[in-house]
Amino acid sequence: MLGAIVGDIVGSVYEWRNIKTKDFPLFRDDCFFTDDTMMTIATADAVMNGGEADDFIDAYKKWGRLYPNAGYGGRFGNWINSDEREPYNSWGNGSAMRVSPCC
């Protein structure tokens, strides 16, 4: 889980500006955490507090609302701020980015 969070922060400044070198600073002044860090933490929260479907819904909404500007996709951001508890039919790779607490 720590590796996922560190990777998210280190890679944050390169997400839309890819580089093709292994020679780059790991932590720059403009690095930041993203929605992937917040939802990784939310996943760990849900697992540690029961691991049932409602625990995940509650944790994602709680952490998403605590950090609303972390860079969520539009549909996910709308879901976080709604009272809706049903799936929103994502097409993204968020679950793959946030699964590390389950390993």
Side-chain angles (χ1 to χ4, degrees):
M1 189 168 139
L2 275 178
I5 292 170
V6 168
D8 180 46
I9 294 168
V10 170
S12 64
V13 294
Y14 303 109
E15 186 167 0
W16 303 111
R17 295 176 301 280
N18 294 335
I19 59 170
K20 297 194 185 262
T21 180
K22 295 178 185 174
D23 184 25
F24 61 91
L26 292 181
F27 294 101
R28 298 178 5 182
D29 289 340
D30 55 344
C31 287
F32 56 95
F33 65 85
T34 75
D35 59 322
D36 293 322
T37 288
M38 295 322 310
M39 292 300 106
T40 297
I41 292 168
T43 300
D45 183 352
V47 169
M48 292 187 301
N49 287 295
E52 300 296 326
D54 282 341
D55 300 316
F56 287 90
I57 294 166
D58 293 341
Y60 293 150
K61 287 184 175 273
K62 175 181 92 174
W63 287 97
R65 290 172 181 171
L66 283 170
Y67 294 90
N69 299 316
Y72 308 102
R75 291 172 69 189
F76 189 68
N78 289 337
W79 179 84
I80 287 171
N81 291 304
S82 75
D83 292 331
E84 184 64 49
R85 296 184 64 80
E86 296 300 315
Y88 64 97
N89 299 316
S90 171
W91 290 89
N93 66 349
S95 59
M97 299 296 293
R98 300 158 184 167
V99 72
S100 62
C102 300
C103 298

